[in-house]
Amino acid sequence: MTCFVPEKHYFCNMISSFSAQLEQWYHQFGRDLPWRGTSDPYLIMLSEFILQQTQICQGMDYYLRFAERFPTAESLAKASEEEVMRLWQGLGYYSRARHLHAAAKQIADAGTFRRDYSFVRALPGVGDYTAAAIMSFAFGEAYAVLDGNVQRVLARHFGITEPVDTTQGKKLLRALADEMLDRQHPALYNQAIMDFGACWCKPSVPLCDTCPLADTCQALSMHQVNMLPVKSKHTAVRDRYLTYIYTRTKDGQTLLRRRGSGDIWQGLFEFPVIESVNKLTSQQVDEFIHSSLVKANIKAKVELVASDFRHQLTHQRLHADFYLLTLPSAVESEEGKWVKESDLDRYALPRLLEKLLEKKG
Ligand code: SF4
């Protein structure tokens, strides 16, 4: 067995016991998840796409619904974009749904899900982590996964103080992840270290008291558990102010527009919206309604339904105001097309709008 860092010989003795202890832990505490019982690469890919940026408890229903409606890559490839987005609604990060759909089309075109790393890695939305997960879980190939959970376990257990978001830190962790991989049982090992990171070696309050790796954990012995892994960059969060005008007619129609590319929620539907650098006054909202939304000179009732409703995305904090505009009937508007309110659930809306609609009741 090779030594990961020659000058630190303690790694040599830990390699096999580290993997073995994790696997032993997994046999006792590993999570029983629906996609663990399959070696179908398409279903594994589906679960991985859903679980990117999503908690297992939230993603589970979506996985089951997708797997039932689209049991094969071919069936998903044939679906319309609207149907895929509709089924994805509420899960957020909609680019994942678009990539999943595109990947299914690529697999269907190839005629099969090829057991080939280059093929898998070239699928839309598939990065190093997802490719390693598919190759090991579906095909039993020796590729080590390296996601946030795995980074944390490795950085803590081996006392890696190099920031994990630098080139040097990434290289170090990649080499360590590859070195620790149990090449005989890559699927078992990968699942074990991922679950261990999620359930035991958690970001805050890890369960060190009952950890099977405690005796060899460098972070624990050096009292650095809460300091590792180190990150060099702090990503700034941007504030955005959105004012939605939920426009309804007395005969049950509403105005809807589709979001374009190059921003959040691409391809999803929403009510007419104004984005501004600060919160708008009701007078500014009134001006927008009469200059652009409803040009006709008609009597309209406007009421503020929700103010400064917050919605957090990874790097953005959205502040939404929600106005209800009631019109006697549909009028010409540049801000969208009229649809029946009773058909609203056929359109994929961002989670923020769903929450606002729930609030309106
Ligand atoms: S002892 Fe604590 S920090 Fe170290 S591997 Fe175990 S849970 Fe993680």
Side-chain angles (χ1 to χ4, degrees):
M1 185 175 288
T2 53
C3 189
F4 170 62
V5 180
E7 64 273 24
K8 290 190 177 177
H9 288 286
Y10 55 82
F11 280 167
C12 299
N13 300 328
M14 281 193 256
I15 291 169
S16 57
S17 70
F18 175 80
S19 313
Q21 280 175 304
L22 281 177
E23 289 171 11
Q24 220 173 344
W25 173 89
Y26 182 75
H27 285 307
Q28 203 178 345
F29 298 106
R31 294 174 290 188
D32 182 19
L33 302 168
W35 48 89
R36 294 258 165 99
T38 179
S39 57
D40 179 334
Y42 160 71
L43 292 177
I44 288 163
M45 179 180 79
L46 173 63
S47 70
E48 292 300 336
F49 270 75
I50 287 175
L51 294 179
Q52 288 164 12
Q53 319 270 359
T54 299
Q55 304 267 352
I56 284 185
C57 52
Q58 195 201 353
M60 182 87 82
D61 274 358
Y62 284 87
Y63 171 80
L64 295 172
R65 256 183 271 157
F66 262 88
E68 191 185 338
R69 174 68 191 88
F70 305 118
T72 60
E74 291 70 26
S75 56
L76 178 56
K78 282 186 203 143
S80 68
E81 188 187 334
E82 281 71 28
E83 187 179 7
V84 176
M85 299 307 264
R86 184 72 194 86
L87 211 56
W88 195 271
Q89 187 175 345
L91 203 50
Y93 302 98
Y94 290 84
S95 57
R96 289 181 295 170
R98 272 185 292 277
H99 284 146
L100 174 67
H101 197 197
K105 288 180 184 169
Q106 222 158 290
I107 296 159
D109 286 348
T112 181
F113 204 127
R114 288 196 210 138
R115 184 181 181 149
D116 169 18
Y117 183 84
S118 322
F119 172 79
V120 174
R121 182 64 179 80
L123 292 171
V126 172
D128 291 341
Y129 160 76
T130 308
I134 294 169
M135 290 306 289
S136 61
F137 300 156
F139 303 122
E141 298 275 356
Y143 288 90
V145 291
L146 186 57
D147 67 351
N149 285 326
V150 178
Q151 275 185 351
R152 187 168 57 256
V153 175
L154 294 175
R156 283 177 175 169
H157 187 263
F158 293 101
I160 306 291
T161 51
E162 196 75 43
V164 294
D165 52 354
T166 58
T167 311
Q168 184 58 22
K170 283 179 192 165
K171 249 167 90 176
L172 192 61
L173 280 164
R174 168 46 61 195
L176 185 52
D178 289 342
E179 185 72 12
M180 291 300 123
L181 178 68
D182 175 352
R183 292 177 179 273
Q184 298 300 313
H185 309 104
L188 172 64
Y189 169 82
N190 279 338
Q191 279 162 355
I193 193 166
M194 284 164 63
D195 269 17
F196 182 76
C199 306
W200 237 253
C201 195
K202 297 185 283 188
S204 49
V205 205
L207 309 181
C208 302
D209 288 350
T210 53
C211 175
L213 300 170
D215 286 351
T216 48
C217 178
Q218 297 297 305
L220 189 64
S221 73
M222 296 191 296
H223 306 286
Q224 288 185 333
V225 172
N226 292 327
M227 287 174 232
L228 297 178
V230 175
K231 283 199 179 159
S232 66
K233 291 186 210 123
H234 181 73
T235 315
V237 173
R238 180 159 71 106
D239 285 291
R240 295 178 72 173
Y241 294 85
L242 305 171
T243 303
Y244 282 103
I245 317 289
Y246 178 25
T247 309
R248 311 168 82 186
T249 62
K250 291 194 169 147
D251 62 348
Q253 297 186 73
T254 189
L255 205 50
L256 219 51
R257 64 187 281 267
R258 193 165 197 196
R259 286 188 72 89
S261 58
D263 197 0
I264 54 172
W265 304 329
Q266 185 188 322
L268 298 197
F269 290 87
E270 65 180 0
F271 303 123
V273 62
I274 321 163
E275 176 155 6
S276 49
V277 286
N278 284 309
K279 182 179 167 67
L280 292 185
T281 62
S282 49
Q283 195 187 341
Q284 287 169 315
V285 174
D286 220 49
E287 276 167 22
F288 168 75
I289 289 172
H290 289 103
S291 65
S292 163
L293 189 67
V294 183
K295 286 197 170 158
N297 191 13
I298 50 166
K299 208 166 175 293
K301 187 178 156 207
V302 187
E303 54 184 310
L304 179 63
V305 178
S307 178
D308 200 20
F309 193 87
R310 305 272 173 106
H311 188 70
Q312 187 74 45
L313 302 175
T314 312
H315 301 134
Q316 300 184 24
R317 188 169 31 238
L318 307 183
H319 303 254
D321 282 356
F322 194 54
Y323 284 84
L324 180 61
L325 169 69
T326 311
L327 300 174
S329 59
V331 292
E332 198 185 324
S333 174
E334 296 166 355
E335 295 294 324
K337 65 168 187 170
W338 292 98
V339 303
K340 283 190 199 153
E341 276 205 87
S342 53
D343 288 344
L344 210 47
D345 58 2
R346 291 196 198 157
Y347 296 87
L349 306 177
R351 182 72 192 121
L352 167 66
L353 275 186
E354 286 187 310
K355 288 201 285 189
L356 283 164
L357 285 170
E358 282 160 19
K359 191 174 168 62
K360 182 193 77 62

